[in-house]
Amino acid sequence: MSSDNDNIPNPPDTSHTTKTSPASSDEKAEPIEPGMDVEARHGDLGEEDVTPAKVRDVERDEAGDVTGIVVQKGVIFRKKLEVPPDRIAAVEPEGKAGGLDRGKVILNTTKQEIRDLSPQGKEALASEPPAQHDAKHGKAVAPAGADAAATPRFSLRMIGPGLLGGLAGNDSSAVTSYSVNGATNGYTQLWLMLLATPLYQAVQYACAKIGRVTQKGLAEILREHYGRRVAVPTSIILLVANIALIAADLVAIGTGLQLLSGITWEWFVVPVAAALWYLAVYKNFGVIKKIFMGMGFVFVAYLVTSVLSGAKWGLVLQATFVPHMQMGLAGISTAVALLGATVSPYTMYWQVQGEKEQKRPGTRKQKLKLAAIDILAGTVSGNLVAFAIILSTANTLFAHHKTVHSAADAAAALAPLLGPYAEILFAIGFIGAGLIAIPVLMASCSYGLSGLFGWSGSLWKKPWQSEGFYLIMTGALVVSLVVALLRFDPIQLMFWANVLQGILSPVLVVFVFLIGNNRRIMRSDRLGAFINAGLVAVAAVMSVATILLFYSLLTGQGR
């Protein structure tokens, strides 16, 4: 798990007072037996996970002395580690610490060598732990904060959860909403995308600050400070809504590929799901970030389509900077829904946990500044894509009085108006939207449930280190895949997912406000007045959106 103190060298360990390994003590050592728990003195062997590391085998010589042990961690995502006897720091006897069934073995390890272990397979620890120094330069590691006065230079490596969260917000549900909005309202609601930008920035920055300061996930904070009566319902609603959205995104990706290839979409969903699962499980967040940042360039397809669509730029600028509202339930409800679509529960869970795990240089204040830039990149790029989608459908479908019910309809409808390239570009953007959104949706499912159960969970960790986290992620994807292949109507899936998000989103924004201003949780790093004002505005808008949504359902106008 990454934290603000990642660069501090491992201090000498004095917490274990039990007998050390046979090689380091003349006194009789505690016996090591298969089934004992195993912990790392420094580093993470998944001690907080659903499945602890265990001694699988004990190797002995003819005299009966221990010559090594084999440690196994994980049941589904298994990892085996061969440990020489001089790496056994201590052995705690049965029942000594918290009523252990079989006792505990403590390994003398470093954080870095545990981080360097592979995601799967069998490995062996060296006879001696690596020296605590900078291997690249051969110098001792400087204490954290030694260069705190220097302002870190901005680089693309500092872009992370904020940018991915902003791009992932344009999932199939959002792309469909923007497509339908442009086809229905034309330019009249473009100004709302400008208004949504600072509001979304406020919510995501508040989430990032909570993650950075507390070093905890949102579900964990809700459970610890507001009880399971709050944490359990929010996690369940998040899980159900995310599964519906993942299923809809899988269908959306398949549909986009069908538009490009002419092959039925069902043939694509299984290999796409398998590829995304492999990336999310066996590649750490640093690799995932690079891959999906590269994939984010497919959103340029929407920008190109908006330019090809023949916009009347004078009217576009006027609609963007001069607010105009169509009165009546239909106009108000679509406007509020458009604003509400910019803040999703899964992006809030993602941002809190993502900032907690993201490695950034400098002091906490400098890290938060870099986080704000990261989030701004996601906010602006995500809303620019949304703006382009509305513009594309407004210039064509609205102008030709065509009605659409999904982004796939919009892509197909563009072909006779702008030619086949417009359909291809729109479909490429549609595919990219789903590919980026699904891993974020999967991860937020795991953040919600693993935090609820008190399990450690991180995309930076190997699957054997956080088996519970990755099992939840795998289960959510499998259920979503089954739902997609059962041919449930993706529009209905998105509709009901939006109903659940409409319930959860304003509640979560209120809790983000309460957490961010709680002295016990945030201490001296509480949220500022500007961010608080943005949170209040978002909570009000999303509450109105929820009321209008349920009003339309009760009056039969919701579907």
Side-chain angles (χ1 to χ4, degrees):
M1 181 181 298
S2 174
S3 70
D4 287 351
N5 298 317
D6 272 343
N7 295 321
I8 299 178
N10 298 328
D13 187 277
T14 59
S15 61
H16 302 295
T17 58
T18 55
K19 301 296 185 295
T20 57
S21 65
S24 60
S25 175
D26 293 332
E27 300 181 49
K28 184 178 179 181
E30 298 292 345
I32 301 175
E33 301 292 344
M36 281 184 162
D37 286 348
V38 179
E39 289 187 4
R41 173 173 281 181
H42 301 295
D44 181 17
L45 285 177
E47 288 87 349
E48 298 178 1
D49 193 21
V50 62
T51 54
K54 295 278 188 181
V55 176
R56 179 180 174 86
D57 295 305
V58 181
E59 300 168 353
R60 303 179 188 275
D61 60 17
E62 293 181 355
D65 295 328
V66 175
T67 59
I69 62 174
V70 177
V71 176
Q72 179 173 301
K73 170 67 175 72
V75 177
I76 305 299
F77 301 106
R78 291 186 179 183
K79 179 70 178 178
K80 289 184 180 180
L81 195 62
E82 294 181 345
V83 182
D86 55 0
R87 300 300 296 274
I88 301 172
V91 180
E92 293 183 353
E94 178 180 349
K96 179 176 178 60
L100 295 173
D101 291 334
R102 304 295 299 273
K104 182 191 296 183
V105 177
I106 311 297
L107 303 184
N108 182 21
T109 58
T110 66
K111 290 181 179 180
Q112 189 58 50
E113 71 176 328
I114 297 298
R115 287 196 191 106
D116 291 341
L117 293 175
S118 64
Q120 55 188 335
K122 189 174 183 178
E123 289 183 82
L125 291 181
S127 294
E128 295 183 0
Q132 293 296 310
H133 67 277
D134 184 340
K136 182 177 180 181
H137 301 291
K139 300 178 181 178
V141 178
D147 194 28
T151 302
R153 292 183 178 181
F154 176 78
S155 70
L156 287 177
R157 287 182 296 177
M158 299 174 192
I159 294 294
L163 176 61
L164 284 181
L167 294 177
N170 290 324
D171 65 343
S172 62
S173 173
V175 173
T176 293
S177 298
Y178 300 139
S179 300
V180 173
N181 187 285
T184 305
N185 301 304
Y187 296 158
T188 58
Q189 295 187 1
L190 285 175
W191 64 276
L192 290 172
M193 296 312 305
L194 185 65
L195 175 63
T197 302
L199 297 181
Y200 183 64
Q201 177 80 11
V203 173
Q204 295 302 95
Y205 179 78
C207 291
K209 189 169 186 178
I210 289 170
R212 176 62 61 183
V213 171
T214 66
Q215 286 295 294
K216 295 179 179 179
L218 187 55
E220 187 179 358
I221 296 171
L222 291 174
R223 175 175 56 84
E224 291 180 357
H225 293 276
Y226 298 96
R228 290 187 177 275
R229 286 186 294 181
V230 171
V232 171
T234 54
S235 294
I236 291 175
I237 292 173
L238 175 76
L239 178 65
V240 175
N242 281 11
I243 286 175
L245 286 175
I246 293 170
D249 279 327
L250 287 172
V251 176
I253 294 170
T255 302
L257 292 170
Q258 178 178 322
L259 288 171
L260 297 179
S261 67
I263 301 173
T264 307
W265 65 266
E266 289 94 334
W267 290 99
F268 296 106
V269 292
V270 172
V272 166
L276 291 174
W277 176 84
Y278 177 81
L279 286 175
V281 172
Y282 288 107
K283 300 296 181 182
N284 70 29
F285 182 67
V287 176
I288 295 171
K289 179 176 70 173
K290 292 176 183 177
I291 293 172
F292 289 104
M293 280 177 61
M295 288 173 55
F297 284 104
V298 301
F299 285 119
V300 173
Y302 287 132
L303 304 180
V304 174
T305 306
S306 67
V307 173
L308 293 176
S309 62
K312 299 178 181 179
W313 295 106
L315 294 177
V316 170
L317 291 174
Q318 182 179 353
T320 302
F321 293 99
V322 179
H324 173 75
M325 178 63 67
Q326 294 175 336
M327 301 310 295
L329 178 62
I332 296 175
S333 61
T334 54
V336 178
L338 187 66
L339 287 175
T342 61
V343 181
S344 301
Y346 69 86
T347 60
M348 286 186 267
Y349 276 84
W350 166 266
Q351 190 65 55
V352 174
Q353 189 80 22
E355 186 58 34
K356 167 193 165 186
E357 298 172 13
Q358 179 69 23
K359 299 175 179 66
R360 301 190 191 277
T363 63
R364 178 177 290 172
K365 184 176 180 181
Q366 291 168 337
K367 291 175 182 179
L368 289 172
K369 286 182 179 179
L370 294 174
I373 296 173
D374 179 20
I375 294 165
L376 182 63
T379 302
V380 172
S381 58
N383 283 2
L384 184 62
V385 169
F387 188 93
I389 294 170
I390 296 173
L391 198 61
S392 298
T393 52
N395 291 335
T396 52
L397 307 182
F398 177 78
H400 290 81
H401 308 290
K402 289 184 176 288
T403 303
V404 297
H405 300 286
S406 71
D409 292 344
L414 288 174
L417 301 175
L418 298 177
Y421 291 112
E423 179 186 10
I424 292 171
L425 289 172
F426 208 86
I428 290 172
F430 201 34
I431 295 166
L435 290 175
I436 294 174
I438 288 175
V440 175
L441 287 160
M442 290 164 55
S444 64
C445 285
S446 291
Y447 291 146
L449 287 190
S450 60
L452 182 63
F453 296 139
W455 300 339
S456 66
S458 169
L459 286 174
W460 284 102
K461 293 183 179 181
K462 312 294 193 305
W464 54 268
Q465 288 176 302
S466 293
E467 188 170 35
F469 174 82
Y470 285 101
L471 284 175
I472 293 170
M473 183 184 293
T474 302
L477 182 61
V478 169
V479 174
S480 301
L481 182 59
V482 170
V483 171
L485 291 175
L486 288 175
R487 302 181 67 90
F488 282 91
D489 184 352
I491 303 303
Q492 291 294 310
L493 288 175
M494 286 186 284
F495 172 79
W496 288 109
N498 285 331
V499 170
L500 293 173
Q501 289 192 105
I503 296 170
L504 185 56
S505 292
V507 174
L508 279 182
V509 172
V510 170
F511 274 111
V512 167
F513 176 86
L514 295 174
I515 292 168
N517 291 282
N518 189 313
R519 190 182 299 273
R520 286 191 305 143
I521 300 174
M522 301 293 288
R523 300 185 183 276
S524 60
D525 291 299
R526 296 186 300 280
L527 301 177
F530 177 78
I531 300 298
N532 281 328
L535 292 176
V536 171
V538 171
V541 167
M542 299 184 78
S543 296
V544 173
T546 303
I547 292 170
L548 289 173
L549 173 63
F550 283 99
Y551 175 82
S552 63
L553 287 174
L554 291 173
T555 57
Q557 303 173 38
R559 286 183 284 174

